[in-house]
Amino acid sequence: MCHWRLYFKNRIIFILFVLLLSEPKSLLAQEQIVFFHEQKGKIIQAKLGDQLSIKYRGYLGQTENFKQTLTEIKDSSFVLGYSLLGPDILLYKEIKYSDILAFRRIGLGSVILKTTLSLGSAVGAIFLLDRTYKNNDFNLAGRIGISVGLGVGMNLIINSIFPDKPKYQVKEGWKVYPIIK
């Protein structure tokens, strides 16, 4: 009787050991889209949760730009964005790989840094404008001009440092491959 218990216990431990060794590979094998440029030898990988800025050909042949989070990868298309509150609020698009004209992957670090810089510049602008308004050196038109100029200027600077426009053109030799587990 004791021999059979030991046999089954060893067998269960062996099976658990094999499962634990094979599990990290399945965790690492993530769905992703691979953009590959053969001549330059460059590879850009976009995993689920990454932000993509895509320029693509729409259903009627028009060119559209869309920037959103990669939420689903399929064989012939992918989905950017989420469907919030049912079909009434649709903040997503399904785009075919063959319709992509240009793309840019926007990393999490640049999204966080851009948001932090925007918030920091807004707080700094509030303090600067508060000091300017307390001195009463400017009339109402001057105050409005300073406010608009400061807001537009900071926005232009931040958007020039962290652009959202698609950078890589498919016509320059980029190929798109989905990797689905």
Side-chain angles (χ1 to χ4, degrees):
M1 199 52 96
C2 190
H3 176 67
W4 284 103
R5 283 186 193 167
L6 186 60
Y7 174 76
F8 284 117
K9 182 179 176 184
N10 287 339
R11 184 65 106 175
I12 290 173
I13 290 173
F14 177 75
I15 291 172
L16 287 174
F17 182 74
V18 169
L19 288 175
L20 286 175
L21 284 179
S22 64
E23 189 62 30
K25 286 185 179 182
S26 67
L27 290 175
L28 293 175
Q30 211 179 24
E31 293 180 352
Q32 58 184 329
I33 299 173
V34 177
F35 299 95
F36 177 68
H37 195 289
E38 189 174 352
Q39 294 159 339
K40 293 182 181 178
K42 290 181 86 175
I43 296 174
I44 297 174
Q45 298 173 342
K47 299 179 295 284
L48 293 175
D50 286 348
Q51 272 199 357
L52 290 177
S53 178
I54 301 289
K55 181 179 180 181
Y56 66 99
R57 204 173 24 258
Y59 293 113
L60 301 175
Q62 77 279 12
T63 302
E64 295 184 36
N65 288 336
F66 192 67
K67 182 187 94 165
Q68 195 54 264
T69 304
L70 180 63
T71 56
E72 188 176 354
I73 299 172
K74 300 178 182 180
D75 289 337
S76 61
S77 64
F78 60 95
V79 177
L80 293 178
Y82 300 96
S83 173
L84 299 173
L85 303 175
D88 297 335
I89 300 178
L90 301 176
L91 298 173
Y92 75 95
K93 296 218 182 216
E94 185 168 348
I95 302 170
K96 292 181 181 179
Y97 298 117
S98 59
D99 290 340
I100 297 174
L101 301 174
F103 68 93
R104 176 189 289 261
R105 185 180 77 74
I106 303 168
L108 180 63
S110 64
V111 171
I112 291 172
L113 192 56
K114 184 175 182 178
T115 305
T116 305
L117 283 175
S118 296
L119 288 173
S121 68
V123 170
I126 289 170
F127 283 123
L128 178 69
L129 293 174
D130 182 54
R131 297 281 182 211
T132 304
Y133 294 163
K134 282 184 180 176
N135 292 340
N136 283 335
D137 293 339
F138 300 99
N139 60 8
L140 182 61
R143 291 177 184 176
I144 291 173
I146 290 172
S147 299
V148 170
L150 190 60
V152 169
M154 290 308 296
N155 195 15
L156 287 174
I157 289 171
I158 290 172
N159 285 333
S160 67
I161 295 172
F162 299 104
D164 290 336
K165 291 177 70 175
K167 178 179 179 181
Y168 304 105
Q169 303 290 326
V170 172
K171 67 182 178 185
E172 294 174 354
W174 288 92
K175 304 219 185 290
V176 184
Y177 301 103
I179 297 177
I180 301 171
K181 57 177 176 171

